Amino acid sequence: GSSQWIGSMEVGTVLTAHYGVVYKILSVPSGAHVLDYVEPLMAHFAQHGSPVMIGGGVLAYTLLGVAVPASGGEAKFLILDPHYSGQENAGTVRKKGWVGWKDASLFKADAFYNFCLPQTPAKIPTF
């Protein structure tokens, strides 16, 4: 009956309790350190491909991907803001910034973040 927002820890609990999905939490102590976690995030997407719920600190986002330029430079994060409500028009959603590639400045240096990484089963049943 609560009207409070849930965080990434609660998302993981719901995934496990209702769907049997195992998850891992990647705790980032500060937004200033988020670039230190690019490698494990990229490994998650390569192995599991599942979206990552980001909570903690002062925001909640869904991470859909991570890209590092081949020529070097800082990683970018494909972010979906789960607070969007409205028509399902991809052009409008992109144009208004509800989904897009963001740099690490999105994460606040004085806030912590928990990344909920849903794990896909080792063997997915076929039907």
Side-chain angles (χ1 to χ4, degrees), residues 56-126:
V58 294
L59 56 75
Y61 288 124
T62 303
L63 179 62
L64 301 175
V66 180
V68 177
S71 60
E74 284 194 354
K76 299 278 187 181
F77 303 89
L78 183 55
I79 299 290
L80 170 70
D81 190 332
H83 303 101
Y84 175 77
S85 62
Q87 292 185 7
E88 295 182 21
N89 181 306
T92 300
V93 172
R94 276 193 312 272
K95 189 184 314 177
K96 294 195 175 204
W98 290 97
V99 66
W101 289 100
K102 311 289 183 183
D103 62 27
S105 68
L106 173 73
F107 301 96
K108 299 189 181 304
D110 61 349
F112 73 93
Y113 298 93
N114 288 318
F115 291 65
C116 176
L117 290 71
Q119 308 293 289
T120 53
K123 182 175 181 180
I124 298 175
T126 56

Side-chain angles (χ1 to χ4, degrees), residues 34-53:
V34 74
L35 290 172
D36 298 337
Y37 295 84
V38 166
E39 196 170 303
L41 289 169
M42 290 182 74
H44 167 78
F45 287 114
Q47 182 176 359
H48 300 286
S50 60
V52 173
M53 170 61 191

Side-chain angles (χ1 to χ4, degrees), residues 15-29:
L15 287 172
T16 299
H18 293 281
Y19 303 105
V21 174
V22 176
Y23 67 96
K24 291 183 180 179
I25 294 292
L26 183 64
S27 295
V28 179

